[in-house]
Structure formats: C-alpha cells, structure tokens
Amino acid sequence: MILTVTLNTALDITYRVRSLRPHASHRVSEVVERPGGKGVNVARVLAALGHEATVTGFAGGATGRVVRERLADTAGVTDALVPVAGSTRRTIAVVDERSGDTTQLNEPGPQITPAEWGAFLDRYEELLPSASAVALCGSLPPGVPVGAYGNLVRSARALGVPVLLDTSGEPLRRGVAARPDIVKPNADELAELTGSHEPLRATQDARRRGAHAVVASLGAEGLLAVTPEGRWRAAPPARVHGNPTGAGDSAVAGLLSGLVERLPWPDRLSRAVALSAATVRAPAAGEFDRAAYEELRGRVAVTGEVTAA
C-alpha cells in the first residue's frame, strides 16, 4: 500500500466555457466534480497504474461528505480521512475552450483544532507500518503547525518508509531539513527555497539542505532530477496544451510508483513526464488521458549521467 497525505483536501470543480472574459456572464458548457487535493490526485493516479493507495488527511462539512462519497467510488483507493468540524475547501478550474487556458480559484481550507491534529497524527502512525512509501502533498490548512511535514517525514524515516515531499514555502523549508527521500518542487518553489533561479544550481542546493533526491518540475520543459545515483533531464516530445491542474500530482505518482517498483531513475522520470503531459490533455482536473500516456511514455527524452553519490 502507498500512503498519500492530503492535509488540505478539496472538491475539484471544473467549468468549461467557450471563452473566458473578465466582467462578463458566461454559459458553462460542462461541469465535472472530482475529489481533490494533491495527495488525493496522486492516489487516484496510483490506483489507475495498478497500485493500492490509501488517502489520509482531513474532510469535513457538506463538501467533505461529497469528497468521501466520490472516493468510495474510486477503485483501488482506500479512504482513511479524519473528520473535522470545518468544511473541506473547493477549488474551481475554469477552462477557456477557445484558448485552452485554465483559470484556477482555490479556497483556503478549514480551521484545524489541536484535537483534530492529534487525531490525524494517531491515524498516520497507525497507517505507516503498512505503507511501502508515503507522499506528503500540498498546502497546510489553518491551524496545522508549520513544521508538520518535517515531523511526518521523521516519523516515516524512523520506520524505514521512503517518503516524498511536495509542498512549498516554509513547510517545504522545514520538511527538507528532515531529510525526505524525494522532494518535488516546481521552479518557483525551488527558487523560493534556495534563492537561485538557475534550475541545476537550485536543485543541487536543495539536496545540500537535506533532501536525498530532488526532482524539479520545470513546466513544459519537463523534469530535472539530482540524485545520489546521477542527474537527468526528462522532457515531453512537444509542448502540451490543456488543463494543467493535477499535472504535478501525476508526476508525483509516476515517481512514487517507480520507487516502489525499483525502476532506475530514467524510467521513473519518463513515466512521470508522460503522466504529467497526459494529465494536461485530460478534460477534467486530476485525471489523465490513458491513450495519451501510452503514446507519450516511449517518446519522453531523458538525458543525463550516472555520478558517484
């Protein structure tokens, strides 16, 4: 079982409009709802790849009930969310059909009480021994300690469970110091962490801060990985247009599944890039286009070198 942690779960709502214009009324041509939040998206992709995934984090209110109902219908995903008094957030993606661009609106999430945080920690400790790997993903809702991910990384490492961290800002800074096995920032998050806008230099600096391996998401340019075994770049064969919501989460699923399957780094990266690109092509947030994935997986360009640790 792969465990994914989503402290700020969401109901992802995708609206499609013919053309998005400021200060105008719009007729929505299609509405799609999915359980969301970064770790939930990761779990759904892992399940589609044939891995058993368990989701934990928080869910509350009417929105939280919808998220849990939808998760119950997702084959291969087990719901281990902790109930809270506050209401789970919604995220709204508005897709402009004419341009292909997406506008994203994200709510902040519920206030988490100390008792609710303690209940989550108990659930996490119960689940860890059965996990083959852990993904710690996304933002922290109000009330959760800023150093939460650092503590969760240390708990996983104490049991020998490999852990991937995908967050930003101060939670990322503190989480990296706890020495996760993989960190997956995007270019902006990496620059904020290290102060460098040069991807290779910033990725190497992030490793020196404590991460065992760093895989930086460079948007349309793919992934850059610096690991003890070597460093590589992986890029899709062409720029992909569509809805980018969840593309980074699909990349995380590719990296995690590759880790559990003990694939070499170039194979992990090509899978992650193909999944990410196939997610951009999918019509709804947090899904991936399987036909596009099968087409792309053999066409991802991976270049790099094996180095000493």
Side-chain angles (χ1 to χ4, degrees), residues 3-8 37-43 89 124 134-141 148-150 152-153 162-176 179-190 193 211 213-218 223 244-256 272 276:
L3 177 62
T4 73
V5 174
T6 312
L7 297 177
N8 215 0
K38 294 179 74 65
V40 174
N41 292 337
V42 171
R89 67 191 177 123
Y124 182 70
V134 177
L136 307 175
C137 302
S139 60
L140 302 180
Y149 281 137
L152 299 182
V153 169
V163 56
L164 183 152
L165 177 63
D166 182 14
T167 188
S168 60
E170 189 62 21
L172 173 60
R173 189 180 307 278
R174 298 198 188 191
V176 166
R179 306 187 65 81
D181 294 86
I182 305 174
V183 175
K184 196 212 73 65
N186 63 32
D188 290 340
E189 293 162 351
L190 192 59
L193 174 67
V214 179
V215 181
S217 176
L218 306 179
L223 299 175
T245 305
D249 307 329
S250 291
V252 168
L255 295 172
L256 264 184
S276 181

Side-chain angles (χ1 to χ4, degrees), residues 92-263:
I92 311 296
V94 184
V95 179
D96 184 321
E97 294 177 338
R98 183 166 293 174
S99 69
D101 293 334
T102 300
T103 299
Q104 190 80 15
L105 304 172
N106 297 327
E107 296 178 357
Q111 180 75 32
I112 303 301
T113 68
E116 289 166 347
W117 177 239
F120 166 78
L121 291 177
D122 290 343
R123 180 69 55 84
Y124 182 70
E125 296 291 342
E126 291 170 2
L127 293 167
L128 267 181
S130 301
S132 56
V134 177
L136 307 175
C137 302
S139 60
L140 302 180
V144 172
V146 71
Y149 281 137
N151 292 331
L152 299 182
V153 169
R154 283 186 281 270
S155 294
R157 288 183 56 81
L159 293 179
V161 180
V163 56
L164 183 152
L165 177 63
D166 182 14
T167 188
S168 60
E170 189 62 21
L172 173 60
R173 189 180 307 278
R174 298 198 188 191
V176 166
R179 306 187 65 81
D181 294 86
I182 305 174
V183 175
K184 196 212 73 65
N186 63 32
D188 290 340
E189 293 162 351
L190 192 59
E192 183 182 5
L193 174 67
T194 66
S196 174
H197 291 272
E198 200 288 308
L200 180 57
R201 182 181 298 115
T203 304
Q204 292 171 326
D205 184 20
R207 262 206 82 207
R208 286 192 291 270
R209 290 167 185 260
H212 188 68
V214 179
V215 181
S217 176
L218 306 179
E221 297 178 18
L223 299 175
L224 168 64
V226 177
T227 81
E229 292 82 16
R231 58 178 183 240
W232 294 271
R233 282 183 182 264
R239 182 178 291 270
V240 179
H241 298 281
N243 183 358
T245 305
D249 307 329
S250 291
V252 168
L255 295 172
L256 264 184
S257 60
L259 182 155
V260 170
E261 295 170 27
R262 302 183 183 276
L263 299 180

